[in-house]
Amino acid sequence: MADGADVRSIDAVRDWHAALAEYGDGLAEALAGVELEIRRAHDWLEEQLGRWQRAIRDYEEEVTRAKAELSQRKFPTWDGREPDCTVQEKALRLAKARLEHAEDQVEKCRRWLGRLPKMVDEVYVGASRRLANFVEAELPKGLADLARRVAALESYSGLRPDYAPTPMGSSVAASPPSPSSQEGGEGKTNSPSSASKKEDHEGGAAQPTSPGTGEG
């Protein structure tokens, strides 16, 4: 590789590329899922708001009916006695409690519909945009660069099938001496024995005869 990295396995780099691509797909799906859940939450709040608003109209009618029944019940009987209005009064209290609960739920839904966009903007939007930029721009660039490096490694391994570290302790056979060095050595080298023999021969030829030697 261009940066001098010691790559031992091209398959490992391929696996890394595949894992990064799968990671990017997972991030994209997660972001889409979160966006969908936010929309669902907003839609649910609007649905609940509409539901409780309809409930308010129904409970208002219920309160009106309970008040009318109570008013009719309060008329004295023909003998002048006050009628028992316990049931009508209880129905009116229940109708009013239901109406108050519905009004409270409408207020909560409206409050959350106003708070939810602000909370999403403060907590989620900034981080999600940075992550989406990474998934849509930075990660594809990194995957493309890694793919080029894998292709370069494959090309290099194809050009150098014999590429491997030299084993430690291996020796290189010594080359034989050149003929010129052998000839020069033989022309310049004289053995000591031949030189001494030559000197003895020359010395013996120059020596005179010994005085004590007689002729006969």
Side-chain angles (χ1 to χ4, degrees), residues 56-74:
I56 285 177
R57 291 192 293 269
D58 295 339
Y59 293 148
E60 286 176 343
E61 293 177 359
E62 185 178 347
V63 169
T64 300
R65 287 194 302 268
K67 286 180 178 181
E69 291 176 1
L70 179 59
S71 298
Q72 293 174 2
R73 184 66 178 175
K74 284 183 177 181

Side-chain angles (χ1 to χ4, degrees), residues 104-123:
D104 183 61
Q105 293 301 312
V106 166
E107 180 62 26
K108 288 181 178 178
C109 289
R110 286 175 175 170
R111 185 166 60 248
W112 275 106
L113 282 170
R115 291 178 60 185
L116 181 62
K118 295 180 181 178
M119 294 178 64
V120 170
D121 185 66
E122 293 174 358
V123 178

Side-chain angles (χ1 to χ4, degrees), residues 71-82:
S71 298
Q72 293 174 2
R73 184 66 178 175
K74 284 183 177 181
F75 285 107
T77 61
W78 59 272
D79 56 358
R81 290 184 302 174
E82 292 287 338

Side-chain angles (χ1 to χ4, degrees), residues 18-156:
L20 282 177
E22 183 178 358
Y23 174 69
D25 294 339
L27 285 180
E29 292 178 1
L31 287 172
V34 173
E35 293 289 341
L36 180 60
E37 290 300 323
I38 291 174
R39 286 195 297 270
R40 284 178 178 174
H42 189 272
D43 294 343
W44 182 83
L45 286 173
E46 288 186 339
E47 179 183 350
Q48 294 300 309
L49 177 61
R51 171 193 170 190
W52 287 112
Q53 286 174 339
R54 292 190 298 270
I56 285 177
R57 291 192 293 269
D58 295 339
Y59 293 148
E60 286 176 343
E61 293 177 359
E62 185 178 347
V63 169
T64 300
R65 287 194 302 268
K67 286 180 178 181
E69 291 176 1
L70 179 59
S71 298
Q72 293 174 2
R73 184 66 178 175
K74 284 183 177 181
F75 285 107
T77 61
W78 59 272
D79 56 358
R81 290 184 302 174
E82 292 287 338
D84 184 12
C85 301
T86 304
V87 176
Q88 289 72 24
E89 289 174 350
K90 182 178 181 180
L92 179 58
R93 287 195 301 270
L94 288 175
K96 287 182 177 180
R98 293 190 186 100
L99 178 59
E100 290 177 359
H101 178 69
E103 291 173 345
D104 183 61
Q105 293 301 312
V106 166
E107 180 62 26
K108 288 181 178 178
C109 289
R110 286 175 175 170
R111 185 166 60 248
W112 275 106
L113 282 170
R115 291 178 60 185
L116 181 62
K118 295 180 181 178
M119 294 178 64
V120 170
D121 185 66
E122 293 174 358
V123 178
Y124 175 73
V125 171
S128 66
R129 284 178 179 172
R130 290 191 295 270
L131 185 58
N133 180 67
F134 169 76
V135 172
E136 296 173 2
E138 299 299 327
L139 187 58
K141 292 180 181 178
L143 289 173
D145 181 67
L146 189 58
R148 288 193 296 269
R149 290 172 181 264
V150 170
L153 287 170
E154 291 173 343
S155 176
Y156 183 76

